[in-house]
Amino acid sequence: MREYTVRFEDLRFNLTELYEAMGYGDTTPDPMTIAESVSVIREVRGWAHPAFSFFIAEGELDNEKETLTIKETNFQIGKIISRQLRGSEAYAFFTATVGQAFEEYQERLKKEGDMVKIYIADALGSILAEKTADLMEETLEKELIQKKWKHTNRFSPGYCGWHVSEQQKFFSIFPVFQPCGIRLTASSLMLPIKSVSGIIGLGTDVKKMEYTCGLCTFEQCFRRKKRKH
């Protein structure tokens, strides 16, 4: 298993992405919100400690049963994901997180009762978690060059018909306990909350596609929200 820490500066996001995540779409927030956003970003630099990990394993995909079996662990991934993983020769399991300190920063804002900063920080945390996962994907791509493999999109428990309760099985097959310091609650919520986990299909005959939001019924998906703008 590979585990990496990430510098805040390497996450490569911009204010436009933050405003979109906050619900502004293509419009520009008022000057006060812009100033507060810049202030939160400046503060978060000292609180965000991004990290990601991944390992690669062979598995058996059953498109009829819509399952993926890894290390004798069976995942009910559903129709959408099983179709997207067709042709995979192996699978990358990954985690990515903004870190525990960022969650402590959010708790501090809640105690201070600054609702504007709380909202900005929540949106920013989601972006940073996905940007950390993007860096994981870039690192994975470099490892695939020698095999001349490509990869699929990344898919997470709780999305595209894969029930979030399968996080428990997902984390159980990692070579280390609490990869990147991420732990699960009894209800399968990841802590720190601003964390991402999932699988990616690997092989010579797979490809990364546009996320087919029209096939998915999860209205709260961050990718669906982005496509609405």
Side-chain angles (χ1 to χ4, degrees), residues 179-197:
C180 295
I182 302 171
R183 60 194 187 281
L184 293 179
T185 66
S187 60
S188 300
L189 176 69
M190 287 185 288
L191 298 175
I193 293 174
K194 297 305 180 182
S195 301
V196 182
S197 65

Side-chain angles (χ1 to χ4, degrees), residues 56 79 84 93 107 179 198 217 225:
I56 296 173
K79 178 171 63 177
Q84 296 293 321
F93 280 64
E107 290 300 319
T217 59
K225 290 180 179 180

